[in-house]
Amino acid sequence: MKPDWDKLMKKYEGHATTLIADVDCTSDEGQSLCEKVGVEGYPTIKYGDPADLEDYEGERDLKSLQKFAAESLGPRCGPANLELCDEEGKKKIQDLLAMSGADLAKAIEGKDEEMAAAVKAHETLVESLQKQYEESEAALQEKKKEIKESGLGLMKSVKAYRVSVNQE
């Protein structure tokens, strides 16, 4: 992926509205930025508003990356680009701009807490499913062992023997 990413960065180098870059999250300089934007594994591709980057989930070959960049990157509807917004988007932004700083911070905190609760619920479910899977896997292995020890292997051996001496 790295060679294709480098080609994409070169293509957009100096672009007026689109930045294609990479960050070494293992370096001292990059680690804090990566933590801030939620990079959890490598390689991770993020895009969108720098204040609210989204994870890119598409294909990672050059053609797919170029298509995504051409169609999806660049200025978007937002407080700095109201002209790119539809009426509903403009209204939402105007309502948020009208809020006091404290009220906006409180609203953001509430949504962050809502997100954290959803993540926690998901993690709890995944842990429960993992435990169920491990218990089921252990039970399956025990049952397979029990079945084999009850004579399955010998039965198959006798059947194969019969076939080899033309008794079946």
Side-chain angles (χ1 to χ4, degrees):
M1 185 184 110
K2 177 77 170 128
D4 288 342
W5 189 257
D6 289 343
K7 289 175 188 171
L8 191 66
M9 284 194 315
K10 186 165 181 68
K11 179 179 178 177
Y12 281 87
E13 189 174 351
H15 195 278
T17 61
T18 302
L19 171 66
I20 307 286
D22 61 9
V23 175
D24 180 359
C25 294
T26 63
S27 72
D28 291 338
E29 300 83 28
Q31 190 173 12
S32 63
L33 175 61
C34 293
E35 289 173 2
K36 179 181 175 184
V37 299
V39 172
E40 296 175 350
Y42 315 114
T44 296
I45 298 175
K46 298 273 190 176
Y47 72 97
D49 184 326
D52 186 29
L53 292 174
E54 300 175 47
D55 289 328
Y56 171 76
E57 302 291 346
E59 298 296 320
R60 293 170 179 232
D61 60 277
L62 181 59
K63 186 176 179 181
S64 298
L65 291 168
Q66 287 174 329
K67 183 175 190 268
F68 177 80
E71 293 175 357
S72 304
L73 300 183
R76 294 174 141 186
C77 169
N81 300 301
L82 282 174
E83 70 280 1
L84 299 176
C85 303
D86 60 19
E87 290 307 312
E88 182 180 345
K90 286 178 185 176
K91 170 115 176 64
K92 285 181 182 177
I93 292 169
Q94 289 166 347
D95 290 347
L96 292 170
L97 287 170
M99 295 173 77
S100 71
D103 287 345
L104 183 58
K106 187 175 179 181
I108 291 169
E109 183 180 335
K111 291 296 182 185
D112 283 344
E113 288 172 357
E114 194 176 327
M115 183 78 75
V119 168
K120 179 69 176 158
H122 172 73
E123 289 171 350
T124 300
L125 174 63
V126 168
E127 287 173 13
S128 171
L129 292 172
Q130 182 65 32
K131 183 178 179 190
Q132 288 178 40
Y133 168 79
E134 289 169 2
E135 290 170 353
S136 178
E137 183 68 24
L140 173 62
Q141 295 309 320
E142 184 62 33
K143 188 65 174 176
K144 283 181 173 182
K145 180 181 174 189
E146 180 185 312
I147 292 169
K148 286 179 183 179
E149 289 175 355
S150 73
L152 177 62
L154 187 56
M155 289 177 199
K156 288 182 177 182
S157 180
V158 168
K159 182 178 180 187
Y161 172 77
R162 284 183 172 172
V163 170
S164 72
V165 294
N166 294 322
Q167 288 185 351
E168 286 200 9

